[in-house]
Amino acid sequence: MAARQQQQQGTPAQGKTYQFKLVLLGESAVGKSSLVMRFVKDHFDEYRESTIGAAFLAQTISLDDNTTVKFEIWDTAGQERYKSLAPMYYRNANCAVVVYDITQAASLEKAKAWVNELQRQADPNIVIALAGNKCDLDSRRAVETETAQEYADEAGLLFFETSAKSAHNVTQLFTSIAKKMPLDQLADQSRNKTKGLNPRGVDLSRPANPNNCACKKSLIVL
Amino acid sequence: MSLHVPMDDKPNQDAVSPPPTPSKPLHRMRLRSSSFTLRPADVIRRQKSDSSFHTHFTGSRIGQENARRPSYESKTMAGPPKSRLSTNTYQDDDSTRLPTAQDMIDMHGNSSHDSGSEDDEPPVPVSKNDNQPSDIKPNGFEGLFMRKATRTQSQSVHLSPMASNAPQRSKSTNLMKAKPTMQVALPLPPKPIPTASSPTSTSLSTKTSSSSLSSSLRSKLGSRKTATSSPSSLMPPTPTIPRRNSSMRLVNKKNAQEAKSRVSTEKEQTELYDDGSQAVYPPPPPKDTCDDERDQYGFKMSSQWLSVEDYHEHDKLYQPIVDRRAQKWHQILAENDGKWPEPSSKFKRYVRKGIPADLRGEAWFHYSGAEAKYHANAGVYQEHVRKAEEGKDENEFCDIIERDLHRTFPENSKFKSTTDNADGSTSMSTEDIPAIMALRRLLFAFSVYCPHIGYCQSLNYIAGMLLLFVEEEKAFWLLVTIIEDILPAGIYDITMEGANIDQTVLMMFIWERLPHIWNKISTSRGFWECEKDVDGASMPTITLVTSHWFLTLFINILPTESVLRVWDCMFYEGQKVLFRVALAIFKLNEQKIMDVDDPLEVFQVVQNMPKRMLDCHRLMETTFRRLGSATDITDADIERRRELFKSRRKERRKTNINTDDIGTRRTKVRGTIIHKAMEARRLVERTKSLKHGPKGAANDSKIAA
């Protein structure tokens, strides 16, 4: 509930508020819920109860004086069979954080599978971030940073090694997602938006011109 | 024959189905497994020694109990019962209320059920146990002892989770015995409200309060009055202490002006807790069985949603009820020679009002039919534990189970695997926690026993909760019973198809019975529009939350005591209880849902409100309210809809494979093409940037990061 008191979209006086639907995906027990808890409530439990179905939280961050981004965060269950619910999560998602556990090599493979699925099934504009969580457990590391970084580069993902426990890189992760969102494009849409939110998040209708897509955009800068 | 028989007894039940018989006479109640065994003789002895408490332990009292209750038979025959007391029992014909479902079913060529007899249809699983009585019969005294002998070799596997509770029990018995002295020492601890202890005679308070109470309550009071006034020489002297609830009502009335809002809530609550009797006796024992932070089951009370104070506040009203229910239960067991009573509408009422904590595990075990499985499968559990241990490396589920063990009730004192050190740091002890070890064995064994399910997250919670009430092997059979008999097939399977179908069924109920809530959660789409999608992805988002409700059977959704109350009924009446409770939760939060506009807020209300629903009595009352209430659902109502959606989904899949997956496929193809194009482009850019030297490369990595 913490973040729900935030201002609604686009209060003209204080700049713009953008709202994005963000999904967290990844194998079970990699720390998805813990990341969200750290981000939203700045709190960490050694053992969190495993998530069943999905949990919904919201958090707002300000990028600069004029821009605020509100994330509707959908935290999902990790077990494979809960995947049957997955289309509901990532339907109309604007961004996704795919989490793996740096102490579990298999969890990176699972993360790759999720990235694949998202790139195939979700909105092509979706901004995906890869998060190697539990980086406080460096002594038990099973996935090298370089390996993951290489994959992330290849697949065009944002990449961070995070620790929900120590709060390392957690805010950075979400901030850089917010920064990578194509805010300029959205500005027009937000303005046209009627009050009240789209039930399924901000529905970014797919751009007719694929050049508009977020990843593309960053490349075009080159 | 299993005892898992629909409990919605009809007046003409005999004509429709034979009255249920117990699977075997329970010669000996095995309470708390090995730690405590209560024989009929014990019960009687206790009853005698505590005779002043068991005021109703006589035959004449039973007669009164029956007389006191409105005659259901005549009432139901004659017409709808007027009193809310009788809102529990009978199912009315719902076919008139649900034309849509019926239409759809007819459309799909399914034979429509005769709704008049639907309630007597045994739930699907019952037949599975039909062959069991022959195995069970010899298990009288001898059988039990023989079994005990054969079991000793595997005793090392057993955990007695409640072993630590055994002293508690004797303590509470002592407390009971010590109560006569407490009688005199009023006021009762803790005081419900400042003046609650003002001495008032029972009759006065009853009269005074009844004038200010709702009609339904008044009818209860009236019947109570007749009950108390009828002479019963056999009854041990009833302690004539000021009745707590009634004096509270009196005071409420007196202080109406100064604390209007408070009075109204208290009145509301006393009303909720009233079950036909004004007596609240014995007074609540001091809560020495649990510390301030945790409830009697070891769960931490305070949470984001509720404070310890909320619990204590609730306990003031609830504890006396619990104590009185416990007394009634022990009494009914004593009347039945320590055996579990046969299912009846009266006993169903008992169950709906809550099984006392000390009898809970055994009552679940008996009435669910798990007991029959347990006795029919001696040694099977141990065998599966062994198999699971041996095949651990090949069992893909062991790893997943392992990851969930420490995430099952991490805050519960029995499952807690972190210890707070003196220096403020926390350390984890993982291997030596008996509850976690038992949970591991149980879930491993289950994954072998039920390979088509293996392990599904949320089973850990169910098993964990069971382990708090029964010993390991019984918990295993209870889990098996829940999954094989009580719940429909396919809930926890790989596809979770059963769970998805049940969500559709639940949504349909909401659409039919709580249309205004449906409009909120579906953002004004029609039900069939939401239903038509192949994978159910266009169902209201709220199903992400409600699926959790059903999967964990409300664990982590409702406060613990409420969960247990739901389970009491579920084990006795079957899965329909889950639907009824789900609808009751919606119903009780109706206003809160209607008050918010933003669909995401609706989502949050539905997600978070149940966690505050401490008032389990109110929840159960709403759940079992009848007469056109939204929560009145029969097994047949559910089954019809389930079949309908099953066939619709199947059909859709068929047609999808053959022809019109085009839409979805097009999206997929498009996604892939765009993705591939992007990849190609990225590759080109990368090559370019590498060619351009370190500057370009740096640029590139910057972007990637």
Side-chain angles (χ1 to χ4, degrees):
Chain A
M1 298 292 260
R4 292 299 298 164
Q5 282 82 36
Q6 301 300 330
Q7 55 170 354
Q8 286 297 313
Q9 201 149 329
T11 321
Q14 292 131 3
K16 292 195 182 81
T17 302
Y18 301 94
Q19 187 158 341
F20 297 118
K21 176 174 174 180
L22 183 148
V23 285
L24 270 116
L25 300 164
E27 203 178 353
S28 74
V30 294
K32 296 180 292 297
S33 306
S34 295
L35 272 179
V36 181
M37 273 327 256
R38 178 57 83 185
F39 176 55
V40 175
K41 302 207 168 117
D42 199 18
H43 174 78
F44 177 78
D45 289 316
E46 197 63 50
Y47 287 117
R48 280 204 67 72
E49 307 206 313
S50 33
T51 311
I52 310 291
F56 172 79
L57 290 124
Q59 176 67 303
T60 309
I61 49 174
S62 41
L63 289 183
D64 55 52
D65 290 346
N66 293 320
T67 321
T68 316
V69 169
K70 179 174 177 180
F71 284 115
E72 311 163 8
I73 305 170
W74 293 81
D75 180 19
T76 65
Q79 201 187 352
E80 180 77 25
R81 63 188 65 183
Y82 280 85
K83 240 180 157 177
S84 62
L85 297 169
M88 205 184 280
Y89 310 132
Y90 58 65
R91 179 181 56 187
N92 300 313
N94 309 109
C95 33
V97 177
V98 180
V99 188
Y100 72 93
D101 174 356
I102 65 152
T103 68
Q104 301 281 340
S107 68
L108 179 61
E109 294 312 308
K110 195 61 180 289
K112 289 179 181 173
W114 272 117
V115 170
N116 249 324
E117 168 138 2
L118 283 172
Q119 288 178 331
R120 281 162 177 276
Q121 308 262 29
D123 191 313
N125 287 334
I126 194 165
V127 172
I128 305 172
L130 182 69
N133 196 27
K134 306 195 188 177
C135 72
D136 54 297
L137 301 174
D138 205 47
S139 56
R140 283 160 53 192
R141 179 184 284 277
V143 179
E144 291 309 317
T145 315
E146 294 73 36
T147 323
Q149 178 76 60
E150 215 167 88
Y151 165 70
D153 291 350
E154 219 170 84
L157 317 173
L158 288 166
F159 173 68
F160 285 96
E161 280 199 347
T162 58
S163 166
K165 190 173 182 176
S166 70
H168 177 70
N169 264 349
V170 176
T171 320
Q172 288 86 329
L173 168 74
F174 287 94
T175 315
S176 36
I177 292 171
K179 284 185 179 153
K180 203 178 172 185
M181 297 306 297
L183 298 180
D184 311 337
Q185 279 175 47
L186 289 172
D188 305 326
Q189 292 181 14
S190 323
R191 230 172 289 143
N192 297 338
K193 245 186 177 337
T194 49
K195 213 173 148 108
L197 300 169
N198 184 310
R200 284 148 286 167
V202 178
D203 195 0
L204 294 176
S205 52
R206 289 178 190 177
N209 177 2
N211 276 331
N212 283 353
C213 94
C215 314
K216 268 277 164 77
K217 216 171 171 190
S218 60
L219 290 165
I220 288 161
V221 179
L222 277 174
Chain B
M1 178 178 169
S2 156
L3 277 180
H4 184 79
V5 169
M7 291 310 151
D8 290 306
D9 321 73
K10 296 220 167 212
N12 58 346
Q13 190 192 30
D14 292 359
V16 186
S17 67
T21 49
S23 58
K24 74 175 195 61
L26 203 89
H27 291 293
R28 201 163 68 138
M29 265 189 359
R30 296 174 75 195
L31 288 175
R32 293 258 168 76
S33 67
S34 52
S35 61
F36 189 86
T37 310
L38 188 65
R39 295 158 206 239
D42 292 339
V43 176
I44 291 162
R45 211 175 301 132
R46 250 188 71 196
Q47 290 287 351
K48 281 182 180 162
S49 65
D50 302 344
S51 56
S52 61
F53 302 103
H54 299 274
T55 53
H56 314 312
F57 175 48
T58 57
S60 65
R61 179 64 196 166
I62 309 167
Q64 285 165 20
E65 174 84 24
N66 290 337
R68 191 156 68 78
R69 301 287 172 200
S71 156
Y72 287 87
E73 282 72 10
S74 54
K75 223 164 198 173
T76 334
M77 299 292 215
K82 280 166 199 133
S83 153
R84 199 159 11 113
L85 256 184
S86 47
T87 58
N88 295 340
T89 322
Y90 304 106
Q91 309 300 337
D92 56 356
D93 186 335
D94 68 317
S95 56
T96 49
R97 213 176 341 126
L98 304 163
T100 329
Q102 193 60 56
D103 294 348
M104 292 309 299
I105 288 155
D106 292 345
M107 218 172 75
H108 283 261
N110 293 345
S111 63
S112 65
H113 297 264
D114 174 15
S115 49
S117 64
E118 64 197 14
D119 211 38
D120 296 299
E121 286 177 8
V124 187
V126 169
S127 58
K128 293 187 192 169
N129 290 335
D130 277 352
N131 54 355
Q132 285 182 357
S134 58
D135 303 333
I136 299 160
K137 264 183 187 154
N139 281 333
F141 277 122
E142 300 87 333
L144 276 168
F145 289 131
M146 277 169 61
R147 171 174 293 272
K148 203 148 203 179
T150 55
R151 273 162 195 256
T152 41
Q153 61 190 43
S154 52
Q155 285 290 329
S156 60
V157 188
H158 284 201
L159 166 87
S160 330
M162 302 308 281
S164 58
N165 273 8
Q168 279 176 22
R169 186 190 165 79
S170 53
K171 206 185 271 177
S172 70
T173 318
N174 289 340
L175 273 170
M176 295 268 284
K177 281 179 182 161
K179 267 155 208 161
T181 51
M182 289 170 72
Q183 260 186 63
V184 199
L186 287 165
L188 310 169
K191 282 191 204 173
I193 42 172
T195 41
S197 59
S198 61
T200 39
S201 83
T202 315
S203 57
L204 170 66
S205 61
T206 311
K207 265 181 209 160
T208 327
S209 58
S210 64
S211 63
S212 66
L213 291 172
S214 70
S215 58
S216 68
L217 188 59
R218 212 174 294 140
S219 73
K220 292 180 190 181
L221 288 173
S223 54
R224 167 69 190 172
K225 256 192 271 175
T226 32
T228 40
S229 61
S230 57
S232 170
S233 55
L234 286 171
M235 267 166 60
T238 312
T240 52
I241 50 160
R243 310 298 183 168
R244 191 166 157 185
N245 273 357
S246 45
S247 57
M248 261 163 60
R249 289 196 189 98
L250 180 67
V251 172
N252 282 347
K253 202 188 173 191
K254 276 184 182 168
N255 301 343
Q257 284 89 2
E258 64 183 70
K260 229 173 195 172
S261 60
R262 188 173 167 191
V263 168
S264 68
T265 48
E266 293 219 353
K267 203 166 95 182
E268 187 189 0
Q269 279 172 334
T270 45
E271 187 174 336
L272 293 166
Y273 295 141
D274 190 281
D275 56 357
S277 156
Q278 293 298 292
V280 176
Y281 193 82
K287 306 196 107 189
D288 55 355
T289 50
C290 49
D291 60 35
D292 241 22
E293 296 286 299
R294 294 178 187 281
D295 63 16
Q296 55 180 317
Y297 315 107
F299 289 100
K300 215 171 162 183
M301 289 195 277
S302 68
S303 68
Q304 190 187 345
W305 318 106
L306 290 163
S307 67
V308 177
E309 289 72 39
D310 291 331
Y311 275 91
H312 289 329
E313 199 57 40
H314 173 250
D315 262 4
K316 279 183 198 168
L317 284 157
Y318 188 56
Q319 191 57 43
I321 310 293
V322 168
D323 293 340
R324 208 165 50 77
R325 296 311 307 169
Q327 186 189 335
K328 287 207 160 202
W329 271 76
H330 286 289
Q331 174 195 330
I332 203 174
L333 286 177
E335 280 164 9
N336 216 32
D337 298 330
K339 285 181 276 184
W340 292 109
E342 283 184 26
S344 64
S345 59
K346 177 186 169 184
F347 195 66
K348 182 168 75 179
R349 232 164 35 231
Y350 268 62
V351 172
R352 285 179 174 183
K353 283 171 183 171
I355 302 174
D358 60 335
L359 297 174
R360 200 160 243 153
E362 291 299 321
W364 291 352
F365 188 57
H366 177 81
Y367 288 104
S368 65
E371 192 175 29
K373 279 188 199 288
Y374 171 85
H375 288 298
N377 293 289
V380 171
Y381 175 63
Q382 287 75 12
E383 194 189 316
H384 281 88
V385 170
R386 212 194 54 241
K387 265 193 214 164
E389 197 51 49
E390 283 165 5
K392 206 174 160 184
D393 298 331
E394 291 90 62
N395 189 344
E396 52 171 324
F397 298 112
C398 287
D399 191 36
I400 310 171
I401 292 170
E402 205 63 52
R403 266 181 264 154
D404 275 352
L405 290 176
H406 306 288
R407 306 198 294 158
T408 308
F409 307 134
E411 297 286 356
N412 186 290
S413 55
K414 291 203 176 66
F415 286 90
K416 207 176 177 198
S417 49
T418 49
T419 34
D420 298 322
N421 298 332
D423 59 351
S425 66
T426 54
S427 58
M428 285 166 256
S429 48
T430 46
E431 287 312 309
D432 51 350
I433 293 152
I436 290 185
M437 282 154 67
L439 185 63
R440 176 186 288 120
R441 286 191 296 268
L442 203 163
L443 292 174
F444 277 17
F446 185 81
S447 72
V448 178
Y449 181 83
C450 219
H452 66 281
I453 290 174
Y455 172 70
C456 178
Q457 282 189 326
S458 69
L459 293 182
N460 55 328
Y461 293 120
I462 299 175
M465 186 65 93
L466 291 171
L467 281 171
L468 293 174
F469 288 89
V470 290
E471 54 107 348
E472 193 179 324
E473 186 178 355
K474 289 180 176 181
F476 175 78
W477 290 110
L478 264 169
L479 181 68
V480 170
T481 307
I482 291 173
I483 287 157
E484 288 188 345
D485 298 351
I486 296 177
L487 301 183
I491 296 275
Y492 299 103
D493 283 10
I494 298 274
T495 57
M496 297 182 85
E497 176 81 352
N500 293 332
I501 286 175
D502 271 11
Q503 285 309 305
T504 316
V505 174
L506 176 67
M507 288 302 123
M508 186 170 182
F509 280 130
I510 293 174
W511 174 63
E512 288 168 347
R513 294 164 185 227
L514 302 164
H516 46 298
I517 292 180
W518 167 263
N519 283 340
K520 284 271 178 186
I521 61 174
S522 67
T523 55
S524 303
R525 285 178 299 158
F527 172 78
W528 297 110
E529 190 190 334
C530 296
E531 195 267 344
K532 69 184 176 199
D533 213 35
V534 195
D535 49 4
S538 54
M539 270 283 128
T541 333
I542 209 76
T543 51
L544 292 175
V545 172
T546 48
S547 60
H548 185 171
W549 295 5
F550 282 18
L551 286 167
T552 61
L553 312 176
F554 296 102
I555 296 174
N556 290 350
I557 299 296
L558 293 167
T560 313
E561 187 65 27
S562 307
V563 173
L564 298 173
R565 291 287 299 274
V566 173
W567 283 31
D568 289 347
C569 302
M570 179 193 74
F571 282 120
Y572 192 85
E573 299 181 46
Q575 198 230 3
K576 67 170 178 219
V577 171
L578 302 183
F579 282 93
R580 299 187 72 165
V581 170
L583 287 175
I585 293 175
F586 275 107
K587 184 81 191 154
L588 285 170
N589 293 307
E590 199 170 20
Q591 200 49 53
K592 294 188 185 85
I593 295 171
M594 295 315 289
D595 284 348
V596 287
D597 280 329
D598 182 340
L600 286 172
E601 276 182 61
V602 174
F603 189 92
Q604 285 203 325
V605 168
V606 179
Q607 174 178 256
N608 300 332
M609 281 323 295
K611 298 183 179 171
R612 296 184 208 269
M613 294 175 74
L614 199 52
D615 194 344
C616 47
H617 235 75
R618 181 155 176 235
L619 174 66
M620 296 322 280
E621 199 198 55
T622 313
T623 300
F624 295 115
R625 193 170 287 159
R626 258 194 82 254
L627 287 182
S629 79
T631 59
D632 181 19
I633 296 170
T634 65
D635 284 320
D637 289 340
I638 298 166
E639 202 44 53
R640 271 204 309 255
R641 286 166 181 75
R642 207 175 264 151
E643 288 304 318
L644 167 68
F645 297 130
K646 233 184 257 176
S647 61
R648 279 173 67 90
R649 287 167 81 101
K650 211 169 161 187
E651 250 169 54
R652 264 189 309 238
R653 273 204 196 104
K654 236 187 263 165
T655 46
N656 262 320
I657 291 163
N658 295 338
T659 51
D660 80 342
D661 195 18
I662 296 163
T664 332
R665 259 200 243 150
R666 193 181 288 145
T667 321
K668 280 185 196 173
V669 168
R670 191 172 162 215
T672 315
I673 290 171
I674 295 174
H675 173 59
K676 291 284 176 201
M678 270 160 34
E679 265 180 357
R681 179 75 182 259
R682 209 174 290 131
L683 216 75
V684 172
E685 298 294 340
R686 256 171 84 87
T687 336
K688 263 189 205 165
S689 69
L690 284 172
K691 269 185 201 164
H692 290 313
K695 199 187 157 201
N699 231 347
D700 182 51
S701 65
K702 198 175 139 199
I703 284 151

